[in-house]
Amino acid sequence: MKYKLEDICIRITDGSHYSPKAVEYGYPMFSVKDMLEYGFSYDNCKRVDEEDFQKLKASGCVPKIGDVLVAKDGSYLKEIFVCREEKEEAVLSSIAIFRPNVERVTSDFLCYLLKSPKVYNYIKNNCVSGSALPRIVLKEFKTVGIDVPDIIIQERITGILRELDEKIILNNSINDNLQEQAQAIYHHMIIENADAAWTPGVLSDIAIITMGQSPKGESYNEEGVGTVFFQGRAEFGFRFPTRRLYTTDPKRMAQANDALMSVRAPVGDMNVAYEDCCIGRGLGAIRSKDGHQSFVLYTMFALREQLNVFNGEGTVFGSINRDALNSMPVDIPPKEIMDQFEDIVSPMDAAIRNNYDEICRLQALRDSLLPRLMSGELDVSDIEL
């Protein structure tokens, strides 16, 4: 049946346009930059006190179970998920809240519907303001026309897609656990058991550092022409950055498995190069001089606290230059200790990469099925879940 979005929701609104004063400890308040594919990141989210949180809650800026949360500013419709737990969390105006009418549409179906290419393309072409930061106009968003099958068909469609998503979530959880284990091993072997006899040194003693340089803007494209290009941390994921831009005029390159570090605020955020790629001025690539790449990667994770110092420097925002990065102090254990660490942790890093490969395949399968299922091209009427 044909509906407008506002016909299948009992409420469509955005989060708070008022941004309370941040506190060190308090209730989380999320903006679009904190959104992930399946939930929120708590790493750098804002915190607000009890009084402000209760005001936000009273004004409807605290999502409820079953609400569909949509990134409407900047990365419109790129991040969207269903709120599955009742939590004391508020959202800012860069996030829209869709509360489905469960008699007409399930939360999962609404979520996948909003992710479908047909809706995405319509939103992009008709409901986005022409400001420097792309922004969905919620008033126009509400009137988007959509086809909605009956609830039984919705559940069959979402059952197929959810099965793929649950495997993706499981792999992400495994990778998260593997990385935590590897960091714990580093802390035990390298930090807790450090020996005064180990050589004091600097980062350039163990690693080759390449600072990024941005190609000319006219060389950028999103069509896959040329070399994969990462300007800064905007494309960072849990472990590997997401391809978005390419360049036909690469300047500075990172090699596959290099540690990629944000050298502009926030200085110190880390990812790993999935493949050879061009890096812009917001990134540096860090590669072991002697094949101890896992050791170098987890050394960079361990240096995060020292790197945070640079987030308070600079005229506009924090940054770190090549000389400062090269001269970061590190204790260098004997080769046999680094070999032992590498023997234990590099297989874990390889497993993370393999899981990520499967995640990419599952996402590609899900994204190819999504428009065909939503359009009715694939008949699911006889599928029993």
Side-chain angles (χ1 to χ4, degrees), residues 136-157:
I136 291 174
V137 180
L138 205 55
K139 180 176 70 174
E140 296 176 10
F141 196 0
K142 294 178 181 180
T143 63
V144 174
I146 50 175
D147 295 309
V148 180
D150 64 46
I151 294 292
I152 293 176
I153 296 299
Q154 290 179 38
E155 289 175 343
R156 288 173 176 162
I157 289 171

PDB file of all heavy atoms in Angstrom, residues 136-157:
ATOM      1  N   ILE A 136      19.026  17.214   5.957  1.00  0.00           N
ATOM      2  CA  ILE A 136      17.689  16.821   5.564  1.00  0.00           C
ATOM      3  C   ILE A 136      16.683  17.807   6.143  1.00  0.00           C
ATOM      4  O   ILE A 136      16.728  18.130   7.327  1.00  0.00           O
ATOM      5  CB  ILE A 136      17.361  15.399   6.046  1.00  0.00           C
ATOM      6  CG1 ILE A 136      18.197  14.367   5.274  1.00  0.00           C
ATOM      7  CG2 ILE A 136      15.885  15.087   5.884  1.00  0.00           C
ATOM      8  CD1 ILE A 136      18.037  12.954   5.779  1.00  0.00           C
ATOM      9  N   VAL A 137      15.770  18.263   5.301  1.00  0.00           N
ATOM     10  CA  VAL A 137      14.670  19.112   5.758  1.00  0.00           C
ATOM     11  C   VAL A 137      13.562  18.184   6.221  1.00  0.00           C
ATOM     12  O   VAL A 137      12.906  17.521   5.413  1.00  0.00           O
ATOM     13  CB  VAL A 137      14.183  20.040   4.627  1.00  0.00           C
ATOM     14  CG1 VAL A 137      13.036  20.910   5.121  1.00  0.00           C
ATOM     15  CG2 VAL A 137      15.332  20.901   4.108  1.00  0.00           C
ATOM     16  N   LEU A 138      13.346  18.133   7.525  1.00  0.00           N
ATOM     17  CA  LEU A 138      12.449  17.138   8.104  1.00  0.00           C
ATOM     18  C   LEU A 138      11.010  17.306   7.611  1.00  0.00           C
ATOM     19  O   LEU A 138      10.301  16.322   7.385  1.00  0.00           O
ATOM     20  CB  LEU A 138      12.505  17.223   9.630  1.00  0.00           C
ATOM     21  CG  LEU A 138      12.148  15.959  10.399  1.00  0.00           C
ATOM     22  CD1 LEU A 138      12.999  14.777   9.952  1.00  0.00           C
ATOM     23  CD2 LEU A 138      12.300  16.182  11.891  1.00  0.00           C
ATOM     24  N   LYS A 139      10.556  18.546   7.414  1.00  0.00           N
ATOM     25  CA  LYS A 139       9.191  18.795   6.958  1.00  0.00           C
ATOM     26  C   LYS A 139       8.930  18.122   5.609  1.00  0.00           C
ATOM     27  O   LYS A 139       7.859  17.537   5.395  1.00  0.00           O
ATOM     28  CB  LYS A 139       8.955  20.305   6.860  1.00  0.00           C
ATOM     29  CG  LYS A 139       7.560  20.684   6.393  1.00  0.00           C
ATOM     30  CD  LYS A 139       7.373  22.187   6.404  1.00  0.00           C
ATOM     31  CE  LYS A 139       8.202  22.849   5.312  1.00  0.00           C
ATOM     32  NZ  LYS A 139       7.927  24.311   5.196  1.00  0.00           N
ATOM     33  N   GLU A 140       9.929  18.168   4.728  1.00  0.00           N
ATOM     34  CA  GLU A 140       9.775  17.539   3.419  1.00  0.00           C
ATOM     35  C   GLU A 140      10.000  16.028   3.503  1.00  0.00           C
ATOM     36  O   GLU A 140       9.387  15.252   2.772  1.00  0.00           O
ATOM     37  CB  GLU A 140      10.745  18.184   2.428  1.00  0.00           C
ATOM     38  CG  GLU A 140      10.448  19.656   2.199  1.00  0.00           C
ATOM     39  CD  GLU A 140      11.479  20.318   1.293  1.00  0.00           C
ATOM     40  OE1 GLU A 140      12.302  19.595   0.701  1.00  0.00           O
ATOM     41  OE2 GLU A 140      11.473  21.559   1.206  1.00  0.00           O
ATOM     42  N   PHE A 141      10.882  15.622   4.402  1.00  0.00           N
ATOM     43  CA  PHE A 141      11.163  14.211   4.613  1.00  0.00           C
ATOM     44  C   PHE A 141       9.883  13.459   4.980  1.00  0.00           C
ATOM     45  O   PHE A 141       9.636  12.338   4.516  1.00  0.00           O
ATOM     46  CB  PHE A 141      12.198  14.087   5.734  1.00  0.00           C
ATOM     47  CG  PHE A 141      12.893  12.758   5.838  1.00  0.00           C
ATOM     48  CD1 PHE A 141      12.619  11.700   4.984  1.00  0.00           C
ATOM     49  CD2 PHE A 141      13.853  12.565   6.825  1.00  0.00           C
ATOM     50  CE1 PHE A 141      13.277  10.487   5.095  1.00  0.00           C
ATOM     51  CE2 PHE A 141      14.520  11.357   6.957  1.00  0.00           C
ATOM     52  CZ  PHE A 141      14.218  10.313   6.081  1.00  0.00           C
ATOM     53  N   LYS A 142       9.052  14.070   5.801  1.00  0.00           N
ATOM     54  CA  LYS A 142       7.843  13.408   6.293  1.00  0.00           C
ATOM     55  C   LYS A 142       6.878  13.021   5.177  1.00  0.00           C
ATOM     56  O   LYS A 142       6.090  12.084   5.322  1.00  0.00           O
ATOM     57  CB  LYS A 142       7.110  14.322   7.276  1.00  0.00           C
ATOM     58  CG  LYS A 142       7.835  14.608   8.570  1.00  0.00           C
ATOM     59  CD  LYS A 142       7.029  15.573   9.433  1.00  0.00           C
ATOM     60  CE  LYS A 142       7.743  15.902  10.731  1.00  0.00           C
ATOM     61  NZ  LYS A 142       6.970  16.838  11.581  1.00  0.00           N
ATOM     62  N   THR A 143       6.938  13.731   4.058  1.00  0.00           N
ATOM     63  CA  THR A 143       5.959  13.517   2.988  1.00  0.00           C
ATOM     64  C   THR A 143       6.450  12.580   1.891  1.00  0.00           C
ATOM     65  O   THR A 143       5.789  12.432   0.867  1.00  0.00           O
ATOM     66  CB  THR A 143       5.561  14.858   2.371  1.00  0.00           C
ATOM     67  OG1 THR A 143       6.713  15.470   1.775  1.00  0.00           O
ATOM     68  CG2 THR A 143       4.995  15.792   3.431  1.00  0.00           C
ATOM     69  N   VAL A 144       7.601  11.961   2.084  1.00  0.00           N
ATOM     70  CA  VAL A 144       8.128  11.031   1.079  1.00  0.00           C
ATOM     71  C   VAL A 144       7.141   9.884   0.883  1.00  0.00           C
ATOM     72  O   VAL A 144       6.675   9.267   1.850  1.00  0.00           O
ATOM     73  CB  VAL A 144       9.494  10.477   1.518  1.00  0.00           C
ATOM     74  CG1 VAL A 144       9.965   9.404   0.531  1.00  0.00           C
ATOM     75  CG2 VAL A 144      10.514  11.597   1.592  1.00  0.00           C
ATOM     76  N   GLY A 145       6.818   9.582  -0.363  1.00  0.00           N
ATOM     77  CA  GLY A 145       5.906   8.490  -0.674  1.00  0.00           C
ATOM     78  C   GLY A 145       6.618   7.152  -0.714  1.00  0.00           C
ATOM     79  O   GLY A 145       7.692   7.031  -1.307  1.00  0.00           O
ATOM     80  N   ILE A 146       6.029   6.138  -0.078  1.00  0.00           N
ATOM     81  CA  ILE A 146       6.648   4.816   0.005  1.00  0.00           C
ATOM     82  C   ILE A 146       5.600   3.725  -0.136  1.00  0.00           C
ATOM     83  O   ILE A 146       4.418   3.919   0.157  1.00  0.00           O
ATOM     84  CB  ILE A 146       7.394   4.631   1.351  1.00  0.00           C
ATOM     85  CG1 ILE A 146       6.485   5.023   2.505  1.00  0.00           C
ATOM     86  CG2 ILE A 146       8.676   5.423   1.387  1.00  0.00           C
ATOM     87  CD1 ILE A 146       7.061   4.762   3.858  1.00  0.00           C
ATOM     88  N   ASP A 147       6.058   2.560  -0.596  1.00  0.00           N
ATOM     89  CA  ASP A 147       5.210   1.375  -0.686  1.00  0.00           C
ATOM     90  C   ASP A 147       5.459   0.499   0.525  1.00  0.00           C
ATOM     91  O   ASP A 147       6.614   0.155   0.820  1.00  0.00           O
ATOM     92  CB  ASP A 147       5.505   0.593  -1.963  1.00  0.00           C
ATOM     93  CG  ASP A 147       5.135   1.377  -3.210  1.00  0.00           C
ATOM     94  OD1 ASP A 147       3.990   1.867  -3.260  1.00  0.00           O
ATOM     95  OD2 ASP A 147       5.982   1.512  -4.106  1.00  0.00           O
ATOM     96  N   VAL A 148       4.386   0.107   1.209  1.00  0.00           N
ATOM     97  CA  VAL A 148       4.511  -0.702   2.416  1.00  0.00           C
ATOM     98  C   VAL A 148       3.638  -1.951   2.287  1.00  0.00           C
ATOM     99  O   VAL A 148       2.408  -1.835   2.195  1.00  0.00           O
ATOM    100  CB  VAL A 148       4.097   0.106   3.669  1.00  0.00           C
ATOM    101  CG1 VAL A 148       4.233  -0.753   4.924  1.00  0.00           C
ATOM    102  CG2 VAL A 148       4.935   1.365   3.797  1.00  0.00           C
ATOM    103  N   PRO A 149       4.245  -3.141   2.267  1.00  0.00           N
ATOM    104  CA  PRO A 149       3.446  -4.370   2.219  1.00  0.00           C
ATOM    105  C   PRO A 149       2.820  -4.665   3.582  1.00  0.00           C
ATOM    106  O   PRO A 149       3.053  -3.937   4.559  1.00  0.00           O
ATOM    107  CB  PRO A 149       4.478  -5.430   1.847  1.00  0.00           C
ATOM    108  CG  PRO A 149       5.760  -4.911   2.398  1.00  0.00           C
ATOM    109  CD  PRO A 149       5.682  -3.413   2.297  1.00  0.00           C
ATOM    110  N   ASP A 150       2.041  -5.753   3.651  1.00  0.00           N
ATOM    111  CA  ASP A 150       1.438  -6.081   4.941  1.00  0.00           C
ATOM    112  C   ASP A 150       2.505  -6.562   5.919  1.00  0.00           C
ATOM    113  O   ASP A 150       3.634  -6.880   5.535  1.00  0.00           O
ATOM    114  CB  ASP A 150       0.308  -7.106   4.784  1.00  0.00           C
ATOM    115  CG  ASP A 150       0.777  -8.463   4.270  1.00  0.00           C
ATOM    116  OD1 ASP A 150       1.789  -8.987   4.779  1.00  0.00           O
ATOM    117  OD2 ASP A 150       0.130  -9.006   3.355  1.00  0.00           O
ATOM    118  N   ILE A 151       2.134  -6.631   7.200  1.00  0.00           N
ATOM    119  CA  ILE A 151       3.095  -6.913   8.261  1.00  0.00           C
ATOM    120  C   ILE A 151       3.786  -8.266   8.073  1.00  0.00           C
ATOM    121  O   ILE A 151       4.999  -8.388   8.319  1.00  0.00           O
ATOM    122  CB  ILE A 151       2.397  -6.866   9.642  1.00  0.00           C
ATOM    123  CG1 ILE A 151       1.911  -5.433   9.949  1.00  0.00           C
ATOM    124  CG2 ILE A 151       3.347  -7.349  10.737  1.00  0.00           C
ATOM    125  CD1 ILE A 151       3.003  -4.427  10.186  1.00  0.00           C
ATOM    126  N   ILE A 152       3.059  -9.279   7.612  1.00  0.00           N
ATOM    127  CA  ILE A 152       3.656 -10.610   7.434  1.00  0.00           C
ATOM    128  C   ILE A 152       4.793 -10.558   6.419  1.00  0.00           C
ATOM    129  O   ILE A 152       5.870 -11.119   6.629  1.00  0.00           O
ATOM    130  CB  ILE A 152       2.580 -11.636   7.007  1.00  0.00           C
ATOM    131  CG1 ILE A 152       1.592 -11.866   8.153  1.00  0.00           C
ATOM    132  CG2 ILE A 152       3.239 -12.959   6.594  1.00  0.00           C
ATOM    133  CD1 ILE A 152       0.437 -12.775   7.800  1.00  0.00           C
ATOM    134  N   ILE A 153       4.555  -9.865   5.298  1.00  0.00           N
ATOM    135  CA  ILE A 153       5.604  -9.735   4.267  1.00  0.00           C
ATOM    136  C   ILE A 153       6.761  -8.906   4.812  1.00  0.00           C
ATOM    137  O   ILE A 153       7.943  -9.217   4.568  1.00  0.00           O
ATOM    138  CB  ILE A 153       5.024  -9.093   2.993  1.00  0.00           C
ATOM    139  CG1 ILE A 153       3.951  -9.996   2.379  1.00  0.00           C
ATOM    140  CG2 ILE A 153       6.145  -8.831   1.982  1.00  0.00           C
ATOM    141  CD1 ILE A 153       4.462 -11.368   1.956  1.00  0.00           C
ATOM    142  N   GLN A 154       6.457  -7.855   5.568  1.00  0.00           N
ATOM    143  CA  GLN A 154       7.520  -7.056   6.181  1.00  0.00           C
ATOM    144  C   GLN A 154       8.433  -7.925   7.045  1.00  0.00           C
ATOM    145  O   GLN A 154       9.657  -7.822   6.988  1.00  0.00           O
ATOM    146  CB  GLN A 154       6.914  -5.946   7.052  1.00  0.00           C
ATOM    147  CG  GLN A 154       6.219  -4.835   6.293  1.00  0.00           C
ATOM    148  CD  GLN A 154       5.638  -3.800   7.237  1.00  0.00           C
ATOM    149  OE1 GLN A 154       6.236  -3.461   8.257  1.00  0.00           O
ATOM    150  NE2 GLN A 154       4.452  -3.283   6.908  1.00  0.00           N
ATOM    151  N   GLU A 155       7.816  -8.777   7.858  1.00  0.00           N
ATOM    152  CA  GLU A 155       8.603  -9.615   8.765  1.00  0.00           C
ATOM    153  C   GLU A 155       9.459 -10.617   8.001  1.00  0.00           C
ATOM    154  O   GLU A 155      10.584 -10.933   8.410  1.00  0.00           O
ATOM    155  CB  GLU A 155       7.666 -10.327   9.738  1.00  0.00           C
ATOM    156  CG  GLU A 155       7.053  -9.366  10.759  1.00  0.00           C
ATOM    157  CD  GLU A 155       6.023 -10.026  11.659  1.00  0.00           C
ATOM    158  OE1 GLU A 155       5.547 -11.128  11.303  1.00  0.00           O
ATOM    159  OE2 GLU A 155       5.693  -9.436  12.709  1.00  0.00           O
ATOM    160  N   ARG A 156       8.956 -11.130   6.880  1.00  0.00           N
ATOM    161  CA  ARG A 156       9.753 -12.063   6.073  1.00  0.00           C
ATOM    162  C   ARG A 156      10.945 -11.347   5.433  1.00  0.00           C
ATOM    163  O   ARG A 156      12.054 -11.874   5.391  1.00  0.00           O
ATOM    164  CB  ARG A 156       8.875 -12.713   5.011  1.00  0.00           C
ATOM    165  CG  ARG A 156       7.900 -13.740   5.595  1.00  0.00           C
ATOM    166  CD  ARG A 156       6.939 -14.258   4.576  1.00  0.00           C
ATOM    167  NE  ARG A 156       6.093 -15.290   5.167  1.00  0.00           N
ATOM    168  CZ  ARG A 156       4.944 -15.697   4.641  1.00  0.00           C
ATOM    169  NH1 ARG A 156       4.498 -15.139   3.518  1.00  0.00           N
ATOM    170  NH2 ARG A 156       4.238 -16.638   5.231  1.00  0.00           N
ATOM    171  N   ILE A 157      10.705 -10.152   4.929  1.00  0.00           N
ATOM    172  CA  ILE A 157      11.789  -9.379   4.316  1.00  0.00           C
ATOM    173  C   ILE A 157      12.855  -9.045   5.354  1.00  0.00           C
ATOM    174  O   ILE A 157      14.057  -9.259   5.136  1.00  0.00           O
ATOM    175  CB  ILE A 157      11.232  -8.093   3.676  1.00  0.00           C
ATOM    176  CG1 ILE A 157      10.415  -8.425   2.422  1.00  0.00           C
ATOM    177  CG2 ILE A 157      12.370  -7.123   3.326  1.00  0.00           C
ATOM    178  CD1 ILE A 157       9.655  -7.241   1.848  1.00  0.00           C
TER     179      ILE A 157
END
